[in-house]
Amino acid sequence: MSAISVGQSIILGVVEGLTEFLPISSTGHLKIAEGLMDIQVDDKAVVGFTAVIQVGAIAAVLVYFFADIRRFVTAWGRGLANPAARANHDYTFTWWVIYATIPVVLVGLAAKPLIDGPLASLWVVAASLLAGSALMWFADQYGRHKRGEDDISLPDAMIVGTSQILALLFPGFSRSGATISTGLIRDLDRVAATRLSFFLSIPALTGAGLYELKDAVGGGVSAAPLAVGTLVSFVVAYASIAWLLKYVARHNFNAFILYRIAVAVLLAGLLAGGAINA
């Protein structure tokens, strides 16, 4: 019997698609949803399932930003073949995304027992939601929002990319929330910080999904829930990406901050009252 049913995979696919790129923590929301459905959140197969359905969300990024990605890959290929083409910003930016992914990969491999075990607790999710809210508020209030996408440098990419470790270790912090907030602290404007967050998500989440695939399938999740959850997350994530980019062009992040705080307080109350298990 599959550890996750098709019906549950649809719900989790919707949650993943809605929350992966909004700065509210997809991992945190997935763990909350799993807890409410009495799914064991620290089960190896379940952890693998949540990583695999992220690939659907990443596919949505690949489709939505196809023109940008094609430009980057083309410039990168030309730069590898012709040293004269390496002055192109798209060539160097592609390398920066690769470099910026290395820290989170190394920490992910080294800290996997902690990530899959003690740090998978819903109490950690509640605390991380609050901590991430504080960082986001500080970044949005005190970042100068004066630098656009063309102003992004290697230090920006490395610092923002490294901030993904916060979400890796502390589910509830939010990968997009951490990266966008760090970009704002680096004085990027909201759209530039958000787009950088999207581009950094591609290698990090794709690698995580492929790495966890063996645990999801080998651990008791059948192919049907995996396929359905991934497809649902793709469709919902595509709509979320389009909405978020329009939203950040005109609004600050206060609505997300208030939402995160409300979810953290509600989750802590449910845990304290024994309504759901940590």
Side-chain angles (χ1 to χ4, degrees), residues 151-225:
D151 299 316
I152 293 173
S153 64
L154 175 58
D156 293 326
M158 291 301 299
I159 293 170
V160 174
T162 301
S163 73
Q164 295 177 108
I165 293 171
L166 290 171
L168 180 68
L169 295 179
F170 306 110
F173 209 98
S174 170
R175 191 208 61 81
S176 60
T179 51
I180 292 171
S181 297
T182 306
L184 294 175
I185 291 171
R186 297 286 298 174
D187 293 329
L188 296 178
D189 63 43
R190 294 187 182 98
V191 174
T194 302
R195 282 175 60 87
L196 178 58
S197 175
F198 281 129
F199 294 137
L200 287 168
S201 73
I202 295 171
L205 297 185
T206 300
L210 294 176
Y211 181 79
E212 296 285 2
L213 180 61
K214 65 182 186 308
D215 290 337
V217 176
V221 178
S222 64

Side-chain angles (χ1 to χ4, degrees), residues 4-5 36 56-58 65 72 144 174 192 202 206 208 237:
I4 295 176
S5 69
L36 291 172
I58 288 302
F65 292 104
F72 294 144
R144 289 181 285 180
S174 170
I202 295 171
T206 300

Side-chain angles (χ1 to χ4, degrees), residues 19 22-30 129 171-176 260:
T19 61
L22 301 185
I24 56 176
S25 176
S26 63
T27 304
H29 280 76
L30 284 168
L129 280 165
F173 209 98
S174 170
R175 191 208 61 81
S176 60
R260 291 171 60 104

Side-chain angles (χ1 to χ4, degrees), residues 101-116:
T101 304
I102 294 173
V104 73
V105 171
L106 295 178
V107 173
L109 293 173
K112 194 174 189 302
L114 284 175
I115 295 166
D116 294 348

Side-chain angles (χ1 to χ4, degrees), residues 16-40:
E16 164 63 23
L18 281 174
T19 61
E20 181 59 60
F21 301 113
L22 301 185
I24 56 176
S25 176
S26 63
T27 304
H29 280 76
L30 284 168
K31 290 188 181 300
I32 293 170
E34 290 161 0
L36 291 172
M37 291 188 290
D38 290 324
I39 298 172
Q40 191 67 36

Side-chain angles (χ1 to χ4, degrees), residues 231-267:
L231 177 61
V232 171
S233 72
F234 167 79
V235 174
V236 178
Y238 188 93
S240 297
I241 293 167
W243 178 84
L244 180 61
L245 286 171
K246 292 178 181 177
Y247 182 87
V248 299
R250 298 177 177 84
H251 302 86
N252 59 30
F253 288 96
N254 288 345
F256 297 115
I257 294 169
L258 292 173
Y259 173 80
R260 291 171 60 104
I261 293 171
V263 172
V265 171
L266 176 61
L267 176 58

Side-chain angles (χ1 to χ4, degrees), residues 72-120:
F72 294 144
V73 172
T74 300
W76 189 62
R78 287 174 179 168
L80 291 177
N82 181 9
R86 295 174 187 174
N88 188 320
H89 181 266
D90 290 339
Y91 170 80
T92 54
F93 182 80
T94 304
W95 274 117
W96 295 347
V97 170
I98 295 171
Y99 297 153
T101 304
I102 294 173
V104 73
V105 171
L106 295 178
V107 173
L109 293 173
K112 194 174 189 302
L114 284 175
I115 295 166
D116 294 348
L119 293 177

